[in-house]
Amino acid sequence: MSQSKTEKISMPTSIKSRRKKINWLPYQFLLPTVILLLLINLYPFITGLIYSIREGSLIQLEDFVGLDNYIKLLQMPEFWNALQFSFLFGLFGVAGSYLIGLILAVLLNKDVWGKGFFRVALLVPWIIPSVVSIVGWRWMIGDQHGLVNQLIGFLGMDPVNFLGTENGAIFSVILIKIWRSFPFMMVTILASLQTINTDLYEAAKIDGAGRWLSFRYITLPSIKMISIICCILMTIWCFNDFDTIWLLTQGGPVNATENLIILAYKYTFTKSDVGIGSAVSIISLIILMILATIMLKFQEKD
């Protein structure tokens, strides 16, 4: 009896001592990575936040102005125009690249002739460096003597000024963004489609479900999670897309294709107003965080 009592008394103390003993070795290995991530992510954010509440240029910062830069920015029509185009560019860029990527992924997931070749060939827009592909597009649609207008003239129609008009420029940058982005959607969705159990489709076929019902109730729910993640990433890339717009139109004509990142660049480096430029970047970050949160809410729903 006495021995069992001592065991009951000694066991909690041994457990407590075991809990207090922490192995710090894994944390020591992780420490350099954590410090590096903080320097890469946290330091630029804090620096941009400090710039956004001060006046001056990158060379010399001046007085602390608080929220004056944000108030001034919200009163600028140029900001609201850039915000409107950013949403337009992001909406059609994400929707267009996802739909094309989904259709091609479904087709390539089947036993079609030349499947391996098309899987590689359709990756070309994603593999080619952005400078090469966008400059090539600019050469093809930039003026009346471009390749596209020559084909239009061959069909007996008048040439189209793709980059010289507001609507033409907006249509062109969105179309080229979709062309550059759909391979990412295609490859990611295709990888997700290949994880679906084929027995589900056979069971649905036995129950009398057609292709559309199988696609709606089996395919779409199975790729829902990866689709939301892809749309979040593509939304961030569209909002932060600088090279597509800058190499094609530089935000023109008449600021018609100027998004928030182009606006921030112009104020920071062209107009040497780092306060307004940083304020644009911080607002863009807040908008992207809100959009990502909303999209993740859909992921949590069954």
Side-chain angles (χ1 to χ4, degrees), residues 98 167 243 266 284:
Y98 180 79
N167 292 332
D243 46 2
K266 286 184 176 180
S284 300

Side-chain angles (χ1 to χ4, degrees), residues 163-206:
L163 301 180
T165 61
E166 295 184 15
N167 292 332
I170 292 173
F171 173 79
S172 299
V173 295
I174 292 175
L175 181 64
I176 293 172
K177 179 61 180 178
I178 294 173
W179 177 81
R180 293 185 58 209
S181 303
F182 83 83
F184 168 77
M185 294 288 194
M186 180 192 70
V187 171
T188 310
I189 296 173
L190 179 60
S192 181
L193 289 174
Q194 292 177 347
T195 63
I196 302 175
N197 190 354
T198 55
D199 294 338
L200 297 174
Y201 294 103
E202 293 178 2
K205 188 176 182 180
I206 293 173

